[in-house]
Amino acid sequence: MTAPSVLDRVVNTAPAGGRISFARLDGTETLGLPELYERAGRLAGRLRERGVGPGDRIGILAANSLEWVLLDLAALRLKAQTAGFEPGKFDPADDLTGRYGLTLLFTDRAADAPGAVPMSEVRALSEPDAEAAGPPAPAPVTWGPREVTTIKFTSGSTGTPKGLGATAGSIDSSLAAVQEMFGHAPGDDLFVFLPLSLLQQRYWVYSALAHGHDVTISTYEAAFAAMRRVRPTVVMGVPAFYETARRQVESRVRRSGGTLTPQEAARRLFGDRVRYLWTGSAPADAAMLRFFTDAGLPIYEGYGLNETCIVAKNHPGASREGSVGRVLPGKEVLLDADGVVSVRSEHPVGYGYAFAEPGASERVFGPDGTVRTGDLGHIDEDGFLFIRGRADDVIVLDNGKKVVVRPIEEHMRASPAVAECVLFCPTQTDLVAVVSPAALPADPDAVRAQLALTNAAFGRDERISRVVIADEPFSIDNDLLTSQYKPKRPRILAAYRTSLHDPKAGIHAP
């Protein structure tokens, strides 16, 4: 008899222990995982009374909350799909119900759209009825490997985000591989703060229910304050978050006048129980990774896309600097003649986009679900995968020289004054950088010094001729970063086109 999948255990088996916490700036709410499971069952029964059943789809447009988690788990119990809409990127007034085929849309935004339900109703729907027995919890269900549990959306660096139906098999294989690498167990508390509309953030809730460890849900704004209170053992973050953390640690050490070591300052920031830090979703700077590892907080970088889920991951006992780790079981990395990475999966995330313009799926997905990532990479003799950058971000100069921009941009980001660096070539002869300052006012002298160091580290064709310092740091709010804190190159190009084409603008290389 085949053992139940991780996802089926999450759906059908009440956990024996563990807890989930929701950490906000104004405090922390905690409940046991057994109670979470019971509440999700009651909510599922009441959603069924509202017409939600197998194959139906509910939308969630809201900030991270207990209600978000309950809706997601209730949908799994009903074999219904969720569609996670990122706040700020979607508007409930845009007929999301009609466009995405929703039975109901739950939102914490003001909305009078058809099918919209306030998130404030969800908590009450999950509580026991004092006057009646309430609807029975759903019977056990089994998710087939190719059945879609959720519609997730691309980060949307250009245009409307594309929808992608994620299969149960892809979720299950990722959870199993992560558990084998990291062995999360009772006593662990995994700290999550990116939007729950990103499917991978919900993985850690599923992991808690399956393996009995704790999980804490927060927000980016509350993350640093919350970590000191909840004292997690694992922090799930993107590189931009850890760059901010490094600057905070360095600032604390400076202010202490040498009485505080980087190790002590890092522990005060993250709490005293961290056993490792997890990062991915965007390229991580080698100096930042080394900083935290040297400070006694080992940090492990991985690699994956919305379309592939986790492909490779460094982990204890198998970590190599500069790599994104060994390829996970059930994944195969294929390299073409130019080094462009494609990923074949035993259980593909999907076989095409659910909502996208004509031709979008065919440009990315093969018939068997193989994904052409557009990333450049290689695998070393020990099986570690290295990603060198995006094929689309290779700049071809008028002399035919191909310049891979990622190493140069990473070198510029080594300066504490530089949060992000994006290279362009407006005349096909000279590289010009747009730099996001780490703080305002910007420090042009520090940027100028880093420019000299970067140019000295690379060849003549890779030399940056000018640096334009952005008027304000790139952010999600000004639409220059994606929800996973990756620079939106087309938006940055449009915003700074005039300065990029003005030979007198910016800091010039000596």
Side-chain angles (χ1 to χ4, degrees), residues 126-182:
S126 74
E127 293 174 349
D129 190 332
E131 299 179 358
V141 299
T142 300
W143 281 94
R146 293 186 65 154
E147 291 183 301
V148 170
T149 74
T150 190
I151 303 295
K152 57 181 180 174
F153 295 90
T154 63
S155 56
S157 58
T158 59
T160 303
K162 295 184 285 291
L164 176 65
T167 62
S170 69
I171 296 171
D172 193 72
S173 61
S174 295
L175 287 170
V178 168
Q179 184 63 16
E180 184 176 345
M181 288 186 288
F182 292 99

Side-chain angles (χ1 to χ4, degrees), residues 27 60 68 129 148-149 169 185 231 243 256 260-261 265 271 295 306 312 328 334 351 358 371 379 399 446:
I60 308 172
W68 217 120
D129 190 332
V148 170
T149 74
R231 299 170 58 235
E243 291 288 0
S256 76
L260 199 63
T261 68
N306 246 345
L328 270 58
L334 311 172
Y351 298 83
V371 173
I379 297 176
N399 63 4

Side-chain angles (χ1 to χ4, degrees), residues 356-404:
E357 69 279 4
S361 293
E362 291 75 11
R363 288 192 292 271
V364 175
F365 293 91
D368 63 348
T370 295
V371 173
R372 187 183 188 276
T373 70
D375 290 320
L376 297 169
H378 72 274
I379 297 176
D380 71 9
E381 65 279 3
D382 295 320
F384 286 89
L385 175 63
F386 292 76
I387 300 297
R388 296 188 293 127
R390 296 284 298 165
D392 292 344
D393 296 334
V394 172
I395 292 174
V396 182
L397 302 177
D398 63 353
N399 63 4
K401 172 71 175 180
K402 294 182 178 180
V403 178
V404 179

Side-chain angles (χ1 to χ4, degrees), residues 39 65 132-133 165 169 179 184 243 252 279 302 318 328 350 395 439 461 480:
R39 282 187 161 214
S65 63
Q179 184 63 16
H184 300 136
E243 291 288 0
R252 290 181 181 207
T279 193
L328 270 58
I395 292 174
D461 288 318
L480 298 182

